[in-house]
Amino acid sequence: MSTIARFFREESGATAIEYGLIAAGIGVAIIATVAGLGSKLNTTFTSVESALN
């Protein structure tokens, strides 16, 4: 019985999951930002290319 009670009091696993969720959220934000900048850069380079031709 004490093993089960100790299992429910242990919080290190929950903390690791929280850090994992935070890291995943930051990763999604970075990917979204890079994707947005990538499309803007593509538009810019396309306009520069057409101006040079």
Side-chain angles (χ1 to χ4, degrees), residues 39-53:
S39 65
K40 289 180 182 179
L41 282 174
N42 190 20
T43 304
T44 302
F45 284 123
T46 302
S47 65
V48 168
E49 179 188 13
S50 64
L52 291 175
N53 290 332

Side-chain angles (χ1 to χ4, degrees), residues 22-38:
I22 290 169
I26 291 171
V28 168
I30 290 172
I31 290 170
T33 302
V34 168
L37 288 175

Side-chain angles (χ1 to χ4, degrees), residues 4-31:
I4 295 172
R6 196 170 4 126
F7 175 75
F8 284 112
R9 280 186 301 215
E10 183 65 41
E11 294 183 3
S12 64
T15 303
I17 291 172
E18 291 169 355
Y19 283 132
L21 289 173
I22 290 169
I26 291 171
V28 168
I30 290 172
I31 290 170

